[in-house]
């Protein structure tokens, strides 16, 4: 009589298609000549497993639409379908993907005289859980007994992410110590020589006692003081976080520790789907486009989860949550509004999952993660400057030289003292913005082709940033103002007046007329200005500033005095 093997496989169509090669088929064909195999899967994967099986005589058992894996449910299914009888024993091998089963593994399972769970060498150690950690051999009586005990065990412990493991030798124990921190024993079960050690991580214990207090994370708007737009062209910039505007993300844990649902609340003001009339709909679309903020949250959550998987960070030990968002940063004017929302989301997630001291979430890496959510996931034209300043806060000098970027994937970032920020900085932003992602026009293509005019301009932007750093250190605001004017003049030359925009040019010209330097704070739509200095008395200077404000507002721009934001708090 053939020995029986049950393979528990809960997987995606993609996983099965990868596992459907001829070599793997031969493994199962050869195994079928010696063993009777059943694949236990769920309703979602059943049809895909069935297609993978083809003409093979592997038995496929559908456990139904199960939200969570239950070993006891699987035993019920195997016993109910009489896959195992009193006189037989069965080997159960839980896996994530069918391709994890190699012939050597199956042979080892069935020929080794083991009655305790053992480590599956083929399993991916970054995704170890109750699906893929162990295999065991058991009789029907043992399975019956285990089913009864496991049903109660899962009822008591599954919601806190119980981990089924064994310690057959010291090596296994050391592996687990690296994967599960602060292990505390809950229960030891012995069922017909099948020893299961159930452990609970400290993080899981916290999940039981976890309150539902919301986590509120902020991220402020930023001003590109000098050097932009060279941050995406291996240049240098100095950026400043300002307290005038901010984005807020609130992450509220679910009430139940077993509720793993993740929700994204839609903010009607930012993602409207109801309008007072058709004209209001038209105005909203013309001003804000068709893509709201909710997609930023979705992309941020998706990229964050993928990044955690890549870095071996377990996110399953805490309950699900609801994400809500709001922002008062003017949209599409180059104040880093979209990156502020994603940065605030990542900050909230890092706090929630207690990753503040994890080496994969240092500020320079969080900057890259925020950029990936926009640039890679949403195909939004963006650079690192915004994400860097929002991760570090305060005033930061950034060097994105090609050698550093290509070898490390991030730049060299230096925090500068906040008291070096010159007094009297101001911003003026347009009330009817355009899409900042399209402002760069064809400069990127020209740069990649080696256009000398663009290449020289980017080199000059970097040089201006380096000179501005020296001017700030000397508290030389006059030199800084001259560098800002050169920055704008160079940008105007390579982008052209059509891209700069008539209204933006009008604001810059008004600033110049009243003795102020002016340049774009980011992609366009917002101008940052600074008094050039001069011989005017205090009263005359204030009067000129008041008149400049009035003229700028007449053009349709909003004028704001810059309020410097402190460095971001550690997460």
């Amino acid at each position: 009589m053939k020995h029986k093997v049950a393979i528990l496989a809960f997987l995606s169509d993609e996983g099965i298609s990868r596992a459907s090669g001829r070599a793997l088929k031969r493994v199962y064909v050869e195994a079928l000549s010696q063993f009777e195999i059943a694949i236990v899967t769920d309703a979602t994967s059943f049809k895909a497993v069935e297609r993978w099986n083809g003409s093979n005589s592997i038995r496929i058992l559908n456990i139904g639409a199960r939200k969570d894996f239950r070993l006891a449910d699987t035993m019920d299914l195997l016993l109910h379908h009489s896959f195992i009888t009193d006189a037989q024993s069965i080997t159960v091998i839980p896996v994530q993907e069918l391709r994890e089963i190699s012939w050597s593994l199956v042979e080892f399972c069935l020929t080794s005289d083991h009655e305790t769970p053992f480590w599956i060498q083929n399993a991916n150690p970054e995704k170890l859980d109750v699906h893929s950690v162990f295999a065991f051999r058991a009789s029907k009586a043992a399975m019956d007994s285990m089913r009864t005990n496991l049903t109660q065990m899962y009822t008591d412990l599954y919601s806190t992410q119980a981990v089924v493991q064994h310690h057959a030798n010291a090596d296994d124990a050391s592996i687990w110590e690296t994967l599960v921190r602060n292990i505390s024993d809950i229960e030891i079960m012995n069922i017909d020589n099948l020893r299961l050690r159930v452990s609970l991580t400290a993080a899981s214990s916290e999940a039981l006692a976890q309150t539902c207090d919301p986590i509120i994370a902020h991220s402020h708007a930023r001003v590109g003081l000098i050097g932009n737009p060279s941050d995406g062209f291996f240049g240098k910039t100095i950026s400043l976080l300002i307290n005038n505007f901010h984005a807020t993300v609130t992450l509220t844990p679910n009430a139940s520790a077993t509720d793993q649902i993740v929700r994204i609340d839609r903010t009607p003001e930012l993602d409207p789907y109801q309008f007072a009339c058709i004209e209001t709909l038209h105005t909203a679309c013309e001003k804000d486009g068709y893509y709201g903020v909710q997609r930023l949250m979705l992309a941020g959550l998706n990229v964050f989860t993928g990044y955690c998987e890549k870095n071996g960070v377990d996110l399953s030990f805490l309950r699900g949550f609801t994400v809500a968002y709001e922002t008062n940063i003017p949209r599409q004017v180059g104040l880093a509004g979209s990156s502020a929302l994603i940065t605030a989301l990542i900050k909230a997630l890092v706090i929630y999952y207690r990753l503040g001291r994890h080496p994969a979430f240092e500020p320079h890496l969080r900057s890259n993660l925020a950029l990936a959510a926009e640039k890679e996931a949403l195909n939004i034209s963006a650079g690192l400057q915004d994400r860097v300043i929002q991760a570090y806060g305060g005033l930061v000098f950034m060097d994105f030289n090609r050698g550093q970027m290509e070898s490390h994937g991030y730049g060299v970032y230096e925090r500068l003292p906040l008291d070096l920020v010159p007094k009297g900085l101001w911003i003026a932003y347009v009330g009817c913005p355009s899409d900042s992602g399209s402002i760069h026009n064809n400069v990127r293509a020209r740069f990649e082709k080696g256009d000398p005019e663009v290449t020289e301009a980017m080199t000059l932007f970097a040089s201006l940033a380096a000179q501005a750093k020296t001017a700030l250190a000397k508290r030389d605001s006059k030199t800084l103002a001259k560098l800002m004017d050169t920055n704008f003049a160079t940008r105007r030359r390579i982008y052209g007046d059509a891209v700069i925009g008539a209204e933006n040019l009008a604001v810059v010209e008004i600033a110049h007329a009243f003795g102020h330097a002016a340049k774009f704070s980011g992609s366009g739509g917002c101008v940052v200005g600074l008094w050039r200095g001069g011989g005017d008395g205090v009263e005359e200077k204030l009067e000129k500033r008041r008149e400049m404000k009035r003229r700028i507002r007449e053009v349709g721009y909003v004028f704001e005095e810059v309020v410097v934001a402190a460095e971001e708090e550690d997460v």
Side-chain angles (χ1 to χ4, degrees):
M1 183 178 294
K2 293 181 180 179
H3 184 82
K4 300 196 175 186
V5 181
I7 298 170
L8 316 184
F10 302 90
L11 55 157
S12 65
D13 283 352
E14 183 184 2
I16 294 167
S17 66
R18 291 198 304 264
S20 60
R22 292 180 180 178
L24 189 57
K25 287 285 189 182
R26 284 198 298 271
V27 168
Y28 281 94
V29 169
E30 189 170 354
L32 283 170
S33 67
Q34 301 182 46
F35 312 109
E36 186 175 345
I37 298 176
I39 295 180
V40 179
T41 188
D42 59 9
T44 303
S45 304
F46 180 77
K47 291 302 291 183
V49 174
E50 193 176 49
R51 287 193 297 271
W52 173 85
N53 187 33
S55 60
N56 293 323
S57 56
I58 300 175
R59 192 171 184 180
I60 303 171
L61 301 179
N62 187 346
I63 201 169
R66 301 284 179 176
K67 177 185 174 185
D68 297 318
F69 170 78
R70 295 284 194 278
L71 187 57
D73 294 336
T74 302
M75 294 174 180
D76 275 335
L77 186 70
L78 293 168
L79 293 167
H80 176 74
H81 283 275
S82 301
F83 187 69
I84 178 173
T85 64
D86 289 327
Q88 295 174 323
S89 65
I90 183 171
T91 296
V92 179
I93 309 173
V95 297
Q96 288 293 341
E97 294 182 4
L98 293 179
R99 67 174 179 171
E100 291 179 357
I101 298 295
S102 66
W103 173 249
S104 60
L105 177 61
V106 173
E107 202 168 35
F108 175 73
C109 292
L110 304 179
T111 59
S112 298
D113 185 22
H114 63 278
E115 291 184 333
T116 59
F118 66 87
W119 189 265
I120 292 184
Q121 297 296 334
N122 294 48
N124 181 351
E126 292 184 358
K127 298 181 179 178
L128 290 176
D129 56 20
V130 290
H131 296 70
S132 58
V133 173
F134 65 94
F136 62 86
R137 178 178 287 183
S139 66
K140 180 179 183 298
M143 289 184 65
D144 245 340
S145 179
M146 279 194 350
R147 175 185 56 185
T148 302
N149 286 277
L150 284 172
T151 299
Q152 184 59 45
M153 183 189 80
Y154 276 112
T155 300
D156 295 340
L157 298 178
Y158 190 84
S159 63
T160 61
Q161 303 299 314
V163 180
V164 181
Q165 70 171 91
H166 73 106
H167 287 298
N169 55 57
D171 289 338
D172 279 354
S174 65
I175 292 173
W176 275 97
E177 288 292 346
T178 63
L179 294 171
V180 183
R181 291 173 296 179
N182 303 319
I183 291 177
S184 57
D185 296 341
I186 300 299
E187 181 180 357
I188 299 228
M189 298 168 50
N190 286 281
I191 308 169
D192 292 354
N193 295 321
L194 175 63
R195 182 178 177 87
L196 299 180
R197 182 169 183 165
V198 182
S199 300
L200 201 61
T201 65
S204 299
S205 301
E206 292 175 16
L208 279 177
Q210 178 189 4
T211 68
C212 296
D213 293 341
I215 293 169
I216 302 174
H218 303 287
S219 187
H220 293 85
R222 72 93 189 89
V223 165
L225 199 59
I226 198 79
N228 58 304
S230 73
D231 55 307
F233 301 87
F234 305 111
K236 299 175 183 178
T237 63
I238 297 178
S239 198
L240 171 69
L241 214 61
I242 64 173
N243 208 32
N244 301 64
F245 310 104
H246 66 271
T248 301
V249 168
T250 303
L251 188 155
T252 305
N254 296 338
S256 170
T258 62
D259 186 355
Q260 293 292 310
I261 293 176
V262 173
R263 305 168 179 86
I264 304 175
D265 277 355
R266 182 173 60 84
T267 303
E269 293 77 12
L270 300 176
D271 292 288
Y273 286 95
Q274 179 174 311
F275 305 89
C277 61
I278 194 69
E279 289 82 5
T280 303
L281 181 151
H282 174 68
T283 301
C285 290
E286 289 296 304
K287 182 178 180 181
D288 298 326
Y290 304 101
Y291 303 106
V293 171
Q294 201 168 39
R295 67 172 182 152
L296 298 176
M297 298 294 103
L298 193 60
L301 287 165
N302 178 44
V303 170
F304 176 84
T305 305
Y307 181 74
C308 286
E309 287 182 357
K310 181 180 178 182
N311 287 277
V313 177
D314 178 24
L315 301 180
S316 63
F317 68 90
L318 289 181
R319 66 191 75 184
F321 50 82
T322 296
V323 169
Y325 52 89
E326 58 182 329
T327 180
N328 61 8
I329 301 176
R331 297 179 68 179
Q332 298 177 354
V333 298
L335 286 171
S338 60
S339 63
L341 283 157
I342 292 179
T343 299
L345 172 64
I346 291 173
K347 187 186 298 184
L349 292 167
V350 168
I351 294 170
Y352 183 60
Y353 288 108
R354 303 167 179 85
L355 297 171
R357 296 184 180 179
H358 195 290
F361 289 92
E362 294 179 8
H364 64 286
L365 297 176
R366 296 204 312 269
S367 305
N368 284 25
L369 188 59
L371 179 63
E374 289 195 72
K375 192 172 182 179
E376 297 175 17
L378 297 175
N379 199 30
I380 295 174
S381 176
L384 269 171
Q385 176 184 204
D386 301 357
R387 290 90 197 155
V388 171
I389 188 60
Q390 287 165 339
Y392 283 85
L395 179 69
V396 177
F397 173 79
M398 309 171 200
D399 181 353
F400 301 101
N401 71 81
R402 187 185 291 271
Q404 169 74 17
M405 291 297 297
E406 292 183 346
S407 61
H408 293 82
Y410 53 84
V412 178
Y413 310 133
E414 179 185 352
R415 277 193 173 112
L416 303 178
L418 272 176
D419 61 3
L420 297 183
V421 177
K423 306 297 183 184
L425 277 176
W426 54 267
I427 56 172
Y429 56 91
V430 64
C432 187
S434 63
D435 179 6
S436 62
S438 65
I439 290 295
H440 292 307
N441 205 314
N442 67 342
V443 169
R444 166 68 62 183
R446 292 169 60 194
F447 178 79
E448 291 175 352
K449 291 179 180 178
D451 184 314
E453 183 181 29
V454 175
T455 303
E456 289 170 10
M458 296 306 167
T459 301
L460 176 58
F461 288 139
S463 172
L464 295 175
Q467 294 176 62
K469 180 184 175 185
T470 301
L472 285 168
K474 294 179 178 179
R475 303 183 188 278
D476 183 356
S477 61
K478 290 183 179 180
T479 297
L480 177 62
K482 290 178 182 178
L483 295 171
M484 290 171 65
D485 277 336
T486 303
N487 199 131
F488 181 79
T490 305
R491 184 172 190 153
R492 181 178 183 180
R493 175 168 51 82
I494 63 169
Y495 283 92
D497 286 359
V499 174
I500 296 297
E503 291 180 339
N504 290 320
L505 284 172
V507 171
V508 171
E509 288 168 0
I510 291 170
H512 289 171
F514 287 91
H516 288 249
K519 62 177 290 294
F520 278 167
S521 70
S523 302
C526 178
V527 170
V528 56
L530 177 66
W531 172 247
R532 289 172 175 158
D536 292 334
V538 174
E539 286 300 322
E540 185 178 358
K541 185 171 72 173
L542 290 175
E543 179 58 35
K544 284 185 175 181
R545 190 178 180 92
R546 283 192 289 267
E547 179 62 17
M548 180 183 69
K549 271 194 224 178
R550 187 186 67 78
R551 293 276 302 276
I552 287 174
R553 286 169 176 164
E554 283 180 351
V555 178
Y557 277 57
V558 180
F559 186 96
E560 295 259 358
E561 306 283 350
V562 165
V563 181
V564 178
E567 293 181 357
E568 292 291 86
E569 66 277 8
D570 291 332
V571 295

